[in-house]
Amino acid sequence: QVFANSLTASMLSVLHAYQLRSRQQTLLTDPTGTGSLCFSWGGDLLVVGIIANYACVAADTFSSELGILARSQPRLITSLTLRKVPRGTNGGVTLEGLAAGLLGSVIIVTSAMLFLPFCTKATEGKLGGGPAWTLEQRRLLMGGLALWGLLGSLVDSILGGLFQRSVRDVRTGKIVEGEGGERVLISAPVPEKRTDVGAGIKAALLHGEGEAAVEKTDAVGTGQSGADLSRYDPQNKQRRPSFGDERPSRVVENGWDLLDNNDVNFLMSFGMSIGAMAVASWYWQVPLSSVLPGAW
């Protein structure tokens, strides 16, 4: 989960470190050359991608972990009717969850704005000093990235609702989550002809008809003789996790079984990071190719 949420930002951070190193060498050898070590308006697209990654994954985490405490029941974002689903369902959203997601995004973006080395009036004209930021420009960047983080949380919900299977425990009605974000296993469907076997065996045991009658009942239902009767023994703690009529105790609530939670998180964070860089490239009129080593 750590790699799924931060791998994209980590790679962009390494690229940005090399980018700054290259600029530093250029400025030391040629002070008249272009480039800035502080973060200038219309500058580093990599910084935008890094902030966007963490804003999106923080928004997704906040909306999931705090949104589950909402009083209202979640609604499936991929459903045309926005039907109600159990808490924890992939693709389920609430207003409280969305608000929590926005809070997580704002926390990350605010931290970035506090600690980023923005170019100021004091750095203008000095070695490596770029154009100073105005208050309006800072507000625009902060507001845009905060909303982008919230959008990332919604994208994660859409991807999860469509391509990640949600498994519901029939007995409790709760969604079962896989450890470490992996898939949740469910039992294979049982043929219809076995539906009444368990009930028949239970009836035979209750009437005290003995193991012979039980074996006969089981053989009629399964088409086999000499079946293992230990699965019907109430003292057997290793019985299959199903009801007496052989119905599975876990069922699919929604979603295709194409991705697990880690896959969804990585695709969302990667797509939103690259998307934020593309939007900044368009708005600032800075070529997206400027992030590549050859452009440094």
Side-chain angles (χ1 to χ4, degrees):
Q1 284 185 314
V2 172
F3 278 114
N5 284 291
S6 63
L7 182 59
T8 300
S10 299
M11 294 171 61
L12 296 181
S13 296
V14 172
L15 279 175
H16 190 241
Y18 278 106
Q19 187 183 62
L20 291 179
R21 179 67 175 175
S22 177
R23 288 180 184 175
Q24 184 182 40
Q25 295 299 324
T26 301
L27 290 170
L28 290 176
T29 56
D30 183 14
T32 61
T34 59
S36 175
L37 295 180
C38 57
F39 187 42
S40 60
W41 174 259
D44 298 332
L45 301 179
L46 289 172
V47 174
V48 175
I50 295 168
I51 300 175
N53 180 105
Y54 288 117
C56 289
V57 298
D60 176 54
T61 301
F62 272 59
S63 62
S64 298
E65 302 301 329
L66 299 181
I68 201 171
L69 303 177
R71 294 182 179 180
S72 58
Q73 190 171 355
R75 293 184 177 273
L76 188 61
I77 193 173
T78 56
S79 171
L80 295 178
T81 59
L82 295 178
R83 66 179 177 89
K84 293 182 179 181
V85 291
R87 300 178 187 275
T89 301
N90 299 312
V93 297
T94 61
L95 291 178
E96 294 90 341
L98 294 177
L102 181 60
L103 173 63
S105 180
V106 168
I107 290 175
I108 293 296
V109 174
T110 302
S111 301
M113 300 298 288
L114 290 175
F115 292 103
L116 272 178
F118 287 98
C119 294
T120 62
K121 291 292 185 181
T123 62
E124 284 186 332
K126 295 184 179 180
L127 181 64
W133 286 67
T134 65
L135 182 60
E136 188 64 28
Q137 289 172 340
R138 293 189 183 219
R139 288 175 177 174
L140 179 61
L141 180 67
M142 183 175 181
L145 285 173
L147 292 177
W148 194 261
L150 177 61
L151 178 60
S153 176
L154 290 174
V155 170
D156 186 273
S157 296
I158 294 174
L159 290 175
L162 290 176
F163 305 116
Q164 183 183 352
R165 183 175 64 186
S166 295
V167 177
R168 174 169 53 88
D169 188 289
V170 176
R171 294 163 295 187
T172 63
K174 296 182 179 180
I175 296 297
V176 182
E177 295 186 359
E179 185 176 356
E182 297 182 352
R183 288 180 172 86
V184 177
L185 301 179
I186 60 174
S187 303
V190 180
E192 291 294 334
K193 66 179 182 179
R194 296 179 58 91
T195 302
D196 299 328
V197 175
I201 292 175
K202 280 187 175 181
L205 289 173
L206 289 174
H207 285 81
E209 297 178 10
E211 291 190 1
V214 173
E215 290 182 355
K216 180 179 179 181
T217 304
D218 190 48
V220 171
T222 61
Q224 299 177 356
S225 60
D228 181 16
L229 300 181
S230 61
R231 57 179 172 166
Y232 304 112
D233 182 5
Q235 302 302 322
N236 179 15
K237 302 303 182 182
Q238 305 300 324
R239 290 180 296 170
R240 291 175 55 186
S242 60
F243 295 108
D245 56 4
E246 297 296 322
R247 289 181 300 167
S249 60
R250 292 179 176 180
V251 295
V252 176
E253 176 67 27
N254 71 286
W256 297 336
D257 189 23
L258 298 179
L259 304 173
D260 62 19
N261 188 59
N262 296 327
D263 298 330
V264 170
N265 288 341
F266 174 74
L267 288 177
M268 182 276 291
S269 60
F270 178 80
M272 295 304 294
S273 293
I274 301 302
M277 293 166 59
V279 171
S281 171
W282 165 79
Y283 188 83
W284 283 339
Q285 295 299 302
V286 176
L288 194 58
S289 59
S290 63
V291 304
L292 300 177
W296 303 344

